[in-house]
Structures are given as C-alpha cells and as structure tokens.
Amino acid sequence: MDSLHLLVHPVRLRIVHAMAGGRTRTTTELCERLPDVSKATVYRHVGVLAEGGILEVEGEQRVHGAVERRYRLRGDRAVVDAATAASVSKEDHRQVFATAMAALIAEFNAYLDREDADPAADLVGYRQHAVWLSRPELTEMIGELRKVIVARLGNEPAADRVRYLLSPIQFPAAEPSTVDD
C-alpha cells in the first residue's frame, strides 16, 4: 500500500502526528496519547503503518512476558509527494481532505477534553482569511509559510515548549477573477 492510502485514515494520521519530531513511542504510549481511540484500534493501525514502512521498529524489550516494541516515524515515507498528489482523482482529494479534517477535529476534541485546556491562554487559533492572490503570489506565500514552519520543525521538546498542531490549508474559494481594468 502506498503512503497516500496508508495515511488516508484519521487514526493513522493521528498516530503519525504523535510520532512526529523524531520521537520513539511504544504502542502503549500511543494509546495514552489517543485516549479516545480503543487500544485494539491503535494496535491494529500501528501494525498497518509498520507493515507499510511508515513506522519502523527502533527497539524491543520484554515487559511482563510480552515483547514491547518502540517505533520511530520514517518521515521520508510519511509524505505524499507532489507527483502523487497531482495524479489522484478529485474524489481521492475529497477523501484525503475529509480524513485530514476528521483527524484535526479528533485532535482538537482530545485537547478540549483535557482538564488543563484553556484555548485563550494557549493561543488556539482557527481563523480563515480570504485573500486574492495571483499564481506567483500564492507560490511565494506558500514558500514563506513553509520556510517559517520548517525552521521550527526541528525544535526539541523542552520545559517551556508545548507541541502545537499546525494545519495550513489553501484552496480557491471562487472562480478566477474576471475584473477588467
């Protein structure tokens, strides 16, 4: 199964989010991070991701007579390249977008379910802005956003850092302008 089809599932996408940043985790730790998902479901999807090469076994240890594996995300496999994105149907794009939104809603609900959740203090944002952009302006803006985000992707966990989930989305919300000058 290719990366696109492996990632087009809300639970698998949430597992990928939980593993991002070079972390290694056991399935038990992933279950703790996804308390709204049954353990059986987490175990099943970790297995699918490992079999598909998105997760790799970092190490194993015996715990109470069972073998516990630590997994690491293979970042090079957890992406959908531009050529693949360009080759899929509109229906596939609809499914991928729905999956991303379902995973985002589940992550947001898990955040709100925490006792210490404070959206105002945590600077939670979910704004939408309609902007008029030419193709070169859009390309430039995407490059600028990527530069800002990529510069922070290597940040390691620290006492003063909180892990935030960023989900930039852009798509044409109207037909191209026909304004004549």
Side-chain angles (χ1 to χ4, degrees), residues 18-99:
M19 298 295 295
R23 291 174 182 79
T24 62
R25 298 190 193 278
T26 65
T27 308
T28 301
E29 291 168 339
L30 286 167
C31 288
E32 291 168 3
R33 298 221 21 111
L34 305 173
D36 56 314
V37 180
S38 75
K39 289 181 181 182
T41 299
V42 173
Y43 274 85
R44 182 173 65 251
H45 288 293
V46 165
V48 170
L49 290 169
E51 185 177 306
I54 303 278
L55 296 179
E56 65 184 358
V57 176
E58 171 80 7
E60 297 179 343
Q61 65 183 19
R62 282 226 174 263
V63 176
H64 305 295
V67 175
E68 183 177 59
R69 292 181 179 94
R70 292 197 71 73
Y71 293 94
R72 174 180 301 285
L73 179 68
R74 289 204 41 206
D76 61 320
R77 297 286 320 259
V79 296
V80 177
D81 63 33
T84 300
S87 73
V88 300
S89 70
K90 288 181 182 178
E91 198 52 44
D92 287 336
H93 279 282
R94 189 180 320 274
Q95 183 180 2
V96 170
F97 186 78
T99 299

Side-chain angles (χ1 to χ4, degrees), residues 88-149:
V88 300
S89 70
K90 288 181 182 178
E91 198 52 44
D92 287 336
H93 279 282
R94 189 180 320 274
Q95 183 180 2
V96 170
F97 186 78
T99 299
M101 293 302 97
L104 186 60
I105 289 167
E107 292 278 1
F108 191 68
N109 285 333
Y111 159 73
L112 289 176
D113 289 342
R114 294 185 352 218
E115 281 189 35
D116 66 338
D118 185 344
D122 293 335
L123 301 178
V124 170
Y126 34 82
R127 293 170 184 83
Q128 292 182 343
H129 305 281
V131 295
W132 291 91
L133 301 167
S134 66
R135 183 64 178 229
E137 290 168 333
L138 175 62
T139 302
E140 179 183 32
M141 184 184 75
I142 291 169
E144 290 168 352
L145 289 171
R146 284 184 180 155
K147 183 178 178 182
V148 167
I149 294 168

